[in-house]
Amino acid sequence: MQRRAVLLALGGAGVALVSTPARRVLACACCAEDGQRVEGQHELQAHELVELARVQLGATARLRTGAGDVADYSKGIRDAAQSYLVTLARKSDKRGDQWTIAFREPKGKTGVLAFLLPKVVEEFFVDLRDGKMGGGGGPLLYKELRLRMPIGGTGIFEPGMAAGTTARLVLQGRGNLCTEAEQLTHWSLAVSGPRAAYMFFGSLGPPTARP
C-alpha cells in the first residue's frame, strides 16, 4: 500500500519536479526485498491505467499448441492457423478502456477480439533468487499482471462467441514493485467459454511515450 500511496501522490509533471530526497522515497517504495513474493488483487489505479495504455503488442502472435493437431487447441476459431499478424487499437468512453486486437492469418482470414479492461488487476511478483538486481536496488522480480474480463469476437472468432465467454490477459516481465510499461515484455490471452478454448501468446513491443 505504501508504494501505491507514493505513486498516487506523485503524478504527471509533478514527478519531474520532485526533489532528490523525494526521488529516494519513491525508489524505496518501488524496491523489492530478498525473497519478496506478492500475490493478490486490487482495484486498478490511475497510474496503472496510464502504464497499461502505453503497452504495445509485437507484430505477431502464436496459437498455443501441443503435440496434437491445431484443431485440438483452437475450439471456437474458424480454420485456425499457428501464427497471426496482430494489431492493437484502444479507445475510452463512459464504459471504460476498450482494447481491440485484430488478427490476420497467413491466408488472409481475419478476426477481432475486443474487451473492456476490468476494474481489478491481479498481481504476481516473486524473487526468483537468480542474483539479478533491479536498477533501484533489491532483486529483479519476475512479474505478472493478470486481467480477467468478458470478451467478444468477430470474423474467425465468431464460432466461439457465446454468453459467458471470458478472457485472461497476462502481461509478463521483470522489474521492481511498481508498474511500468518498460518492465513488461511478453503477453498471453486465454479465451474460454461454452464454445471456446484457446490461447495466444507473443512479445510486447516498445511502449509508447508517457503522457
Side-chain angles (χ1 to χ4, degrees):
M1 293 303 294
Q2 179 189 9
R3 65 188 176 89
R4 295 194 185 98
V6 172
L7 286 171
L8 288 172
L10 299 172
V15 173
L17 301 177
V18 294
S19 64
T20 300
R23 289 195 185 96
R24 293 197 186 103
V25 170
L26 180 59
C28 290
C30 294
C31 289
E33 298 177 357
D34 291 343
Q36 185 98 45
R37 189 179 187 91
V38 177
E39 294 184 75
Q41 61 182 30
H42 64 270
E43 187 171 336
L44 276 168
Q45 304 295 313
H47 70 275
E48 292 171 318
L49 289 170
V50 168
E51 295 305 312
L52 289 175
R54 300 177 59 222
V55 167
Q56 297 295 312
L57 303 186
T60 61
R62 292 175 57 194
L63 179 71
R64 189 195 69 82
T65 59
D69 295 331
V70 171
D72 297 330
Y73 302 90
S74 58
K75 178 183 176 182
I77 304 177
R78 185 185 295 116
D79 299 325
Q82 289 187 316
S83 65
Y84 293 80
L85 295 176
V86 292
T87 56
L88 169 63
R90 297 183 177 89
K91 69 176 182 179
S92 299
D93 56 31
K94 62 183 180 181
R95 298 178 303 158
D97 297 323
Q98 179 174 296
W99 287 25
T100 300
I101 307 175
F103 292 75
R104 179 182 294 274
E105 53 93 72
K107 295 181 179 180
K109 296 177 182 178
T110 62
V112 167
L113 292 173
F115 52 86
L116 290 172
L117 289 185
K119 301 297 184 183
V120 171
V121 62
E122 179 184 350
E123 293 178 328
F124 174 73
F125 302 166
V126 63
D127 175 13
L128 296 179
R129 301 172 191 170
D130 57 3
K132 294 183 179 180
M133 301 297 291
L140 189 67
L141 303 176
Y142 169 76
K143 306 180 64 168
E144 289 188 3
L145 300 179
R146 302 166 180 170
L147 304 161
R148 301 172 186 267
M149 56 269 155
I151 193 168
T154 61
I156 59 175
F157 302 114
E158 190 278 333
M161 293 299 114
T165 302
T166 61
R168 185 178 76 156
L169 174 66
V170 178
L171 303 175
Q172 301 167 266
R174 299 291 297 269
N176 55 26
L177 287 170
C178 295
T179 295
E180 293 184 1
E182 285 81 2
Q183 298 176 357
L184 304 172
T185 57
H186 294 82
W187 65 278
S188 65
L189 182 69
V191 178
S192 60
R195 299 203 298 258
Y198 51 87
M199 187 183 84
F200 292 104
F201 63 97
S203 299
L204 295 175
T208 59
R210 188 173 287 107

